Structure formats: structure tokens, C-alpha cells
Amino acid sequence: MPRRCCCSAWPRPVLRARCESTEEYDYDYLSINKTWVLTPKTQETDATQILNSLLKNYDNKLRPDIGIKPTFIDVDIYVNSIGPVSVIQMEYTIDIFFAQTWYDRRLRFNSTLKALTLNTNMVSRIWIPDTFFRNSKRADSHWITTPNQLLRIWNDGKVLYTLRLTIEAECLLQLQNFPMDTHSCPLVFSSYGYPREEIVYRWRRYSIEVSDQRTWRLYQFDFTGLRNTSEVLRTGAGEYMVMTVSFDLSRRMGYFAIQTYIPCILTVVLSWVSFWIKRDSTPARTSLGITTVLTMTTLSTISRKHLPRVSYITAMDLFVSVCFIFVFAALMEYATLNYLVGNKKPLEHSHRKARLPPAGAQVMPTFTAININHIMHWPPEMEEDEDDEPGSPCLEGKECERFFCCIEDCQTGMWREGRVRIHISRLDSYSRVFFPTAFLLFNIVYWIAYLYL
């Protein structure tokens, strides 16, 4: 209402002017307020009446079309992220939006509204499928800031129910080809209590979608694809429809190449340095061989920390074991060389003593010329070649001087028949060729077999 002008102390003309201006201001303000119009509550009232009528005689303990036909449930999955994958625990983590769609004739309604989008309070008041994940170890539903659930009901009785889940599921890894292995990690779900005669799950045409893979935490794996299947599981309680989504993963071996393969190869190559060290340098060659053996033992122990305690041999175990054999063989090569060369010299001195002339015989002071490869050395004391054994009794023109030892068979030529003679003093020279060649052949066969076969 307009305010009264209670200013009797002012002169009447001035008072009338002020009162008129005040009344005009108040009426203008009231005219502005009159433009606000309340919206009708027809849609809100209609939605409330629809829900009340739907839930009035609704029994959420009974599935739709019970006793008439099975309930068909269409499933959609949106993969938000995958990872990390635990090799030791043989499990992986996946974050999904899980959607189920079915028809419930009891929820049909006639209205101008085509669909009702409801909150989580309505979920417990209608029937929903009892879906569970068979290979899950732990599963969490997100509740921040409100429960991440959606319920939508269409006027033809179609119901959509979605929720966000984080699941830690089992993934049985076959590690024979580790770390060049590929795996298929499944996500298996079905109805907990309803057999196939009552609930049937179905995949849609594009039932599974994935998000941007750059946000996934697959540190050691690459996502190569997925596939969905359905099968019937026969149990003592009945036949159940089981749905499976398989995620194909391929391991990246860059980490293991840096941590295991390259150090093992360098350790094996380092063990070959002893072949170029003089054989009389026992401390140097022994310390180098023991150091490489201990290094390979440490690398073998570290490589097993990334794996569960499986009883079979993996590809990495095979590689590390062969590298250990090469390193240990390099150490044993020097031990063999040192033993055989050290035990051969006393035998030569004993042969020399046996060839002394008998007492009373006339002894002439002479020198013996040794002809090796048509080169004369005179006198024999001037030759200091470490690769040729002193006092070799090989005859002129015989090839046995290049082999393991010179025995009496060399004089008659019988050493050729089914026997191989190796010159013991040249064992290091043979090892310089044999060890790198054998290790190179092993690597060629190893990488071709595991990467391409």
C-alpha cells in the first residue's frame, strides 16, 4: 500500500508536492512487482502422481514377467580406465560405467512425459537384476558426492540402471614367455540367483566403449584390443548365462631390457676379457672370473623379484641361466688351462731323465735342431715362445704339433683315426673364437624363437 505523508510541519504546497512524488515512486515499484508470475506445477504434480500410481501396487521382490517369459537384460559397459596390472598378485584394476536395460510392464504410464530420471532413492523401490562379477576380488561403488547411480524409466516400461564401479579382478597370467608375453584379462559377470530360464543377458551391437587410453595406468603393458563373449554355465543349481569381456594386453619389455638383458650381456662380454690376459696372471684372471659370476648371481636374484613364485621356467630365466653358464665356463676355462699346463711340465722333465745315456757310455756334447714349419732355431735355448710347449718331441713334417699333445701315435699317423687333438697352450686362442660365436648364435635363436615364433 502507498505510504502516507505525515509531514504537517512543512508548508502545504511543498507538502503536497513531496507526497505526490512519493506516491508515484511507490506505485512504480508495485507495477514492477506485478510482472512476476508463478509457473504452474502441472509437470511436477504429474510426475509425483505417476510415481505414486506406479509404486502403489508394485512388488519389488518379483522380477518382470515372472511365470510368463524370461527377462532380457541388455548390457553396456564404458571402460573409464584399466590398470595397474599386478603380476605378483595376478590381478588388475578396472574402472567402468556398468549399464543394464530391461522392460518392466508394471512401470508403464500415460503422460506427456516420455521418461522420468530419478535419483538413488528410487533404486531400492523397484526390481533390479542381481548381477555380480564372478572373478572380482574387491569391488567398490563410488559415493562422492552422491551415489554414482542413474535410474531412468520410460513410459513404455523401459528401465535403464547405470552405476560406476572400480573392480579388482583376477587375471591368471601365463608367464612362460615373460617378459615378451601377451595376456587376456577377463571380466566375467552373471546373475547370482536367476538361471537362464528366468534372466537372459544380451550384448548390444556396440556394447563396449573405451575412453582415451592416455589416462590409463598400464605402465608395463599396451592395450591391443578387447572382445566380448557369452556362454552357458551348467551348475548343480541350474544353467546360468555368463557374460565375459576380455582385454588383450601386450607387455612392454623396455624396462626389463634395461634392468636385466643389457647388464647380463655386458657381464658375459666382460668375462671374455680374461682370454686376453696372460695365463700366468692368476690373481687378475681369477678375480675377474669370480666378480662376473657374482654379478650374474645378483642379476638372477633381482630378475625374480618381478615374478610370482612359479615352478616353470620363464624366458628371462632361460636367458639369465645361459648367461650364467657362459660366465662360469669362462672361469672354468682358466682353471682347466692352469691345471693342465702346470701338470705337464713335470712329466716332460721325467721323460728327459729317462732318456739319459747309461753309465760308461761315450757322451758327445751336441745340440738338437728343432724344425717347426721349416724354421730352424739354433740353439733351442733361445726360443721363448709361450704358445709352444718346451721339449716337444714331435717329428719333422708331422701336423700333430698344432694339437693337444704329441704322443707316439703321431709318428705312425694313427692320430687321425677318430681322434681330435687340441693344443693345450692355445686354449685361450680357441676360447676367443668359440665363446663369442656360441653366445651370438644363442642370441639369434633366442630372440627369433620368442619374438617371431
Side-chain angles (χ1 to χ4, degrees):
M1 296 182 62
R3 290 182 294 179
R4 295 179 180 180
C5 186
C6 302
C7 302
S8 58
W10 291 89
R12 186 174 297 274
V14 177
L15 178 61
R16 183 177 299 173
R18 285 183 176 273
C19 291
E20 290 177 356
S21 62
T22 303
E23 291 176 357
E24 290 178 359
Y25 172 78
D26 290 340
Y27 281 115
D28 292 340
Y29 180 77
L30 289 176
S31 64
I32 295 174
N33 287 340
K34 290 180 181 178
T35 59
W36 293 93
V37 180
L38 296 177
T39 58
K41 299 182 179 181
T42 57
Q43 293 185 356
E44 180 180 353
T45 304
D46 191 13
T48 303
Q49 293 177 354
I50 291 173
L51 292 178
N52 292 333
S53 61
L54 291 177
L55 300 177
K56 184 176 181 181
N57 297 320
Y58 189 89
D59 190 355
N60 60 357
K61 297 186 294 296
L62 302 177
R63 68 170 181 86
D65 300 326
I66 184 171
I68 301 175
K69 63 180 180 178
T71 302
F72 293 92
I73 300 176
D74 297 325
V75 180
D76 297 277
I77 295 178
Y78 181 82
V79 181
N80 194 28
S81 66
I82 299 179
V85 179
S86 177
V87 179
I88 298 178
Q89 301 296 332
M90 289 195 177
E91 64 183 19
Y92 72 101
T93 304
I94 183 171
D95 186 2
I96 62 172
F97 292 95
F98 188 68
Q100 302 175 89
T101 305
W102 67 93
Y103 283 88
D104 192 344
R105 295 187 300 176
R106 297 172 295 179
L107 298 178
R108 294 177 180 177
F109 59 89
N110 295 322
S111 174
T112 57
L113 296 175
K114 295 183 178 180
L116 296 176
T117 301
L118 308 173
N119 59 10
T120 57
N121 295 328
M122 192 67 181
V123 174
S124 60
R125 305 187 66 178
I126 67 171
W127 179 90
I128 58 174
D130 59 341
T131 307
F132 82 109
F133 294 88
R134 289 182 169 270
N135 64 329
S136 66
K137 292 184 177 180
R138 289 169 295 274
D140 295 324
S141 179
H142 294 255
W143 298 88
I144 304 299
T145 58
T146 59
N148 296 171
Q149 299 177 357
L150 168 66
L151 181 63
R152 186 170 296 168
I153 303 175
W154 278 265
N155 55 3
D156 58 350
K158 180 181 177 181
V159 181
L160 171 66
Y161 175 56
T162 66
L163 70 163
R164 183 184 177 188
L165 299 172
T166 298
I167 303 171
E168 294 181 8
E170 292 181 347
C171 183
L172 298 179
L173 306 178
Q174 301 297 326
L175 302 174
Q176 285 86 354
N177 295 333
F178 176 87
M180 293 161 283
D181 49 344
T182 57
H183 304 284
S184 180
C185 294
L187 183 64
V188 186
F189 62 91
S190 67
S191 173
Y192 188 83
Y194 293 99
R196 186 179 61 169
E197 293 78 11
E198 299 190 36
I199 283 185
V200 177
Y201 289 92
R202 298 183 303 187
W203 293 110
R204 291 186 177 180
R205 185 174 182 182
Y206 301 101
S207 297
I208 304 175
E209 297 181 2
V210 296
S211 63
D212 189 3
Q213 301 178 18
R214 291 178 295 181
T215 61
W216 295 7
R217 293 180 295 171
L218 293 175
Y219 305 118
Q220 297 181 7
F221 293 89
D222 287 324
F223 177 73
T224 58
L226 58 86
R227 60 186 184 276
N228 53 338
T229 59
S230 60
E231 60 181 354
V232 177
L233 178 63
R234 293 177 174 84
T235 64
E239 297 181 353
Y240 293 88
M241 182 66 69
V242 178
M243 314 296 285
T244 304
V245 185
S246 299
F247 303 95
D248 297 331
L249 305 176
S250 176
R251 190 186 301 274
R252 306 171 186 170
M253 62 170 304
Y255 171 81
F256 301 98
I258 296 173
Q259 295 293 325
T260 304
Y261 282 97
I262 294 178
C264 287
I265 294 175
L266 295 179
T267 304
V268 173
V269 174
L270 181 62
S271 67
W272 300 340
V273 177
S274 62
F275 302 148
W276 279 265
I277 301 177
K278 294 182 178 181
R279 65 189 180 193
D280 56 351
S281 301
T282 303
R285 298 190 65 165
T286 304
S287 60
L288 179 60
I290 294 176
T291 301
T292 53
V293 169
L294 294 178
T295 303
M296 284 304 308
T297 304
T298 304
L299 291 174
S300 176
T301 304
I302 293 175
S303 65
R304 295 293 301 181
K305 290 184 178 180
H306 304 283
L307 296 174
R309 296 179 179 179
V310 295
S311 58
Y312 49 82
I313 298 177
T314 64
M316 181 179 288
D317 293 337
L318 177 62
F319 188 87
V320 173
S321 300
V322 173
C323 291
F324 184 86
I325 291 174
F326 271 93
V327 171
F328 188 77
L331 178 61
M332 290 296 101
E333 182 270 344
Y334 175 67
T336 304
L337 176 64
N338 191 30
Y339 175 78
L340 294 178
V341 172
N343 288 348
K344 190 174 181 58
K345 292 181 179 179
L347 295 176
E348 294 172 355
H349 291 295
S350 63
H351 286 299
R352 291 179 182 178
K353 292 180 180 180
R355 289 194 295 266
L356 291 177
Q362 185 178 0
V363 180
M364 297 297 293
T366 59
F367 292 97
T368 304
I370 301 175
N371 185 1
I372 299 179
N373 295 332
H374 304 288
I375 299 178
M376 298 296 295
H377 298 279
W378 188 271
E381 288 81 2
M382 299 299 295
E383 185 177 356
E384 297 180 355
D385 189 4
E386 294 181 357
D387 291 339
D388 294 332
E389 297 179 6
S392 178
C394 295
L395 299 179
E396 295 182 3
K398 295 295 182 180
E399 299 178 1
C400 60
E401 61 192 14
R402 294 177 298 175
F403 291 89
F404 178 70
C405 59
C406 294
I407 59 178
E408 295 180 356
D409 290 345
C410 295
Q411 300 177 3
T412 60
M414 298 298 295
W415 62 276
R416 297 174 179 268
E417 299 180 2
R419 300 178 182 179
V420 177
R421 306 298 179 184
I422 299 176
H423 203 296
I424 188 62
S425 62
R426 296 182 182 177
L427 190 58
D428 282 342
S429 300
Y430 303 147
S431 300
R432 294 170 192 171
V433 178
F434 173 75
F435 277 79
T437 304
F439 190 68
L440 178 61
L441 292 177
F442 164 72
N443 276 271
I444 293 175
V445 174
Y446 177 86
W447 294 111
I448 291 178
Y450 281 102
L451 291 179
Y452 300 103
L453 297 181

